[in-house]
Amino acid sequence: MAPLSRTFAAAVFALCTAGCATTTGNGSANDQNDPYEAQNRKVFEMNESLDRNVALPVATFYVHAVPEPMRDGIHNFLVNLDVPVTLANDVLQGEAERAVDSLGRFVINSSIGVGGLIDVAAKVGVPEHDADFGETLAVYGVPEGPYLVLPLFGPSNPRDAVGLAVDDTVASPWFWISWRSSIYYKLGDDVMEVIDKRAQNIETIKELERTSVDLYATERSLYRQHRQAEINHGKANLQDLPNF
């Protein structure tokens, strides 16, 4: 969903404001591997409208209506549901240590953590991390392809779009329960993830919008930087920042 993609930009924006150059440029389409910029901007505008008129009002209501401890529990539960996909990709990437962390987090939080509502694993020193099939393809040398903005999902590229489809279907154990049940599960999970992540980033995204000369170019640059950092397992390249 669009708000999910915007949280990627929000995360890198927070990182950059802590020690990077100001985000005032407009990196060119050639520099950013964006040959379909005209079409991408149209989809971006549609996603922005959906975010402004649907996701943001719902997220704002959620923040005011649901107490913070309950929101934290929901967030932890949603994160725990995604751990099997992370574990599968850790294994495919040959990351044994990260795979052990993922398995440990899922076992600990699903049992002692009351189905994932409490992040007990973090309290005992088992760190959280993400891994997806787009990253796995990158590890095996598959090029990212041109920058794309997908309806609802936002910033992407052909490699990550394939990865998203795999993670949401065959890589997820919940996909195999039954066709009808998996559709209901995925719909509910996606809606709650959108609300949860958009609610967590209301102020950060407002600041991103306020300080960006060209929000499209900013999100494009931040998305690509964030994805590279994820492929490098959280080690962002701050030596060669893109211009945006």
Side-chain angles (χ1 to χ4, degrees):
M1 301 295 182
L4 285 176
S5 66
R6 300 193 72 192
T7 59
F8 296 146
V12 185
F13 177 70
L15 178 151
C16 284
T17 52
C20 304
T22 18
T23 63
T24 55
N26 288 319
S28 71
N30 289 336
D31 292 340
Q32 295 293 342
N33 191 18
D34 188 4
Y36 309 117
E37 181 173 359
Q39 296 89 336
N40 283 338
R41 282 185 179 272
K42 292 178 181 178
V43 179
F44 173 80
E45 290 171 5
M46 181 193 73
N47 287 346
E48 284 293 294
S49 178
L50 287 172
D51 179 70
R52 184 169 55 253
N53 295 304
V54 180
L56 178 57
V58 172
T60 302
F61 173 79
Y62 175 71
V63 168
H64 288 95
V66 180
E68 185 174 0
M70 189 177 297
R71 297 200 309 271
D72 289 343
I74 292 171
H75 171 76
N76 292 337
F77 178 76
L78 292 171
V79 169
N80 196 56
L81 286 178
D82 289 338
V83 172
V85 174
T86 298
L87 172 60
N89 283 290
D90 286 337
V91 172
L92 289 173
Q93 293 173 27
E95 294 286 343
E97 184 175 341
R98 286 162 66 91
V100 170
D101 284 345
S102 294
L103 180 60
R105 283 187 59 82
F106 189 71
V107 171
I108 293 170
N109 287 344
S110 297
S111 54
I112 304 174
V114 195
L117 291 173
I118 306 170
D119 192 355
V120 179
K123 299 179 188 299
V124 297
V126 184
E128 176 190 343
H129 69 270
D130 293 322
D132 58 62
F133 196 66
E135 293 174 38
T136 300
L137 292 174
V139 167
Y140 285 96
V142 177
E144 65 178 8
Y147 178 76
L148 300 173
V149 180
L150 303 179
L152 300 180
F153 291 94
S156 189
N157 55 60
R159 182 184 66 200
D160 287 349
V162 170
L164 177 65
V166 170
D167 287 335
D168 278 356
T169 54
V170 295
S172 172
W174 319 118
F175 175 78
W176 300 100
I177 44 180
S178 80
W179 184 82
R180 180 175 296 179
S181 297
S182 67
I183 292 296
Y184 292 147
Y185 155 75
K186 192 57 192 168
L187 179 61
D189 181 56
D190 282 346
V191 169
M192 285 308 304
E193 281 199 21
V194 167
I195 296 171
D196 171 57
K197 293 187 177 182
R198 190 62 180 90
Q200 288 186 325
N201 290 279
I202 289 174
E203 294 304 320
T204 305
I205 292 175
K206 280 184 181 178
E207 182 67 9
L208 178 65
E209 293 171 338
R210 187 184 68 80
T211 58
S212 298
V213 175
D214 181 351
L215 187 59
Y216 171 86
T218 298
E219 291 196 9
R220 177 182 61 193
S221 295
L222 290 179
Y223 174 78
R224 297 190 71 221
Q225 182 181 341
H226 178 79
R227 284 302 287 163
Q228 191 58 51
E230 288 187 320
I231 292 166
N232 294 336
H233 296 156
K235 299 173 183 176
N237 178 12
L238 303 183
Q239 303 302 313
D240 187 23
L241 291 174
N243 293 319
F244 49 82

